[in-house]
Amino acid sequence: MFIYIIISIIVIYILINIYIYLLKVKIERFEKQILNNFKEKNNKIASIYEVTKGHISKHNEVFDEAKKLKRKDFSENTFNINLIGKYRTNRLIHKELDFIFRVCNKNPKLNNNHKYLYIRDSIVNISENIWEDLSLYKNIIIKYNNIIFLNKITILWLLLPFNKKESMH
């Protein structure tokens, strides 16, 4: 009888470990996917810049902040900044792109320019994908951190090699 209890505890421990490990792998996959989407979206800033050249008055001033943020994003890629840091920078880039699109949408020539429309729609589509991925990512992080917390208040935390993940606000 006692051996069955010990075997049950070991099996439960192994299952919890496997579940946490799978959640961690899923989190890492989402992080990589979100970072790739950030990079893809930010690489299109240069395309928008070139397509809108000659159509917007004070073109360089409109894109000035976006270029600064793009450089900051590039340096974060170089220094392997985590997803939370990249998220903060990309929120600013998103706001700047929103401003650029509002300026560009006031120009009737750009609204008929197929290159501009294609790039704009592509950026909007990527942004929607990022938003969906981020909401799923946040839910998984909450679940992961709750399980880690529950394990920390039991004796199992001594045996599990997992730590809490920082969440986004």
Side-chain angles (χ1 to χ4, degrees):
M1 175 73 172
F2 183 69
I3 192 81
Y4 293 123
I5 293 173
I6 292 177
I7 290 174
S8 299
I9 291 173
I10 291 172
V11 167
I12 289 172
Y13 168 74
I14 291 171
L15 289 175
I16 290 172
N17 244 343
I18 290 171
Y19 183 70
I20 292 173
Y21 175 76
L22 291 174
L23 275 179
K24 189 172 183 175
V25 167
K26 196 171 194 177
I27 288 169
E28 290 169 357
R29 193 181 84 232
F30 266 110
E31 287 176 349
K32 186 179 276 188
Q33 183 175 338
I34 292 167
L35 289 173
N36 286 337
N37 283 339
F38 282 158
K39 187 182 286 188
E40 183 180 354
K41 182 174 110 177
N42 295 342
N43 286 340
K44 293 187 184 290
I45 293 173
S47 301
I48 287 286
Y49 180 83
E50 290 301 320
V51 167
T52 60
K53 205 181 263 186
H55 294 285
I56 301 174
S57 61
K58 299 184 181 182
H59 184 264
N60 286 334
E61 292 173 13
V62 170
F63 280 88
D64 211 21
E65 187 66 25
K67 289 189 285 186
K68 288 177 189 173
L69 290 170
K70 176 75 173 119
R71 280 192 292 275
K72 180 179 179 184
D73 179 62
F74 182 75
S75 69
E76 288 175 350
N77 287 338
T78 305
F79 294 117
N80 290 326
I81 301 297
N82 67 1
L83 181 64
I84 305 296
K86 299 281 290 173
Y87 173 71
R88 291 181 185 121
T89 302
N90 277 279
R91 269 193 352 220
L92 296 173
I93 290 172
H94 182 78
K95 288 179 184 177
E96 199 57 36
L97 281 171
D98 187 45
F99 167 74
I100 290 169
F101 288 148
R102 281 185 284 156
V103 169
C104 292
N105 286 337
K106 292 180 182 178
N107 187 317
K109 288 183 183 177
L110 279 176
N111 285 325
N112 293 326
N113 185 325
H114 296 290
K115 290 179 186 176
Y116 167 74
L117 294 175
Y118 175 78
I119 295 167
R120 183 194 66 189
D121 292 344
S122 175
I123 290 173
V124 168
N125 187 33
I126 293 168
S127 294
E128 288 173 358
N129 291 340
I130 290 171
W131 185 83
E132 290 171 7
D133 289 346
L134 280 173
S135 66
L136 289 172
Y137 175 80
K138 289 176 185 178
N139 289 336
I140 293 170
I141 289 289
I142 289 169
K143 186 184 297 184
Y144 178 84
N145 286 340
N146 286 339
I147 291 170
I148 296 297
F149 175 75
L150 289 175
N151 286 331
K152 294 284 184 189
I153 62 174
T154 66
I155 194 72
L156 287 177
W157 75 273
L158 294 171
L159 305 172
L160 294 175
F162 301 107
N163 293 319
K164 288 182 89 171
K165 295 285 275 178
E166 187 178 351
S167 61
M168 289 185 240
H169 304 294

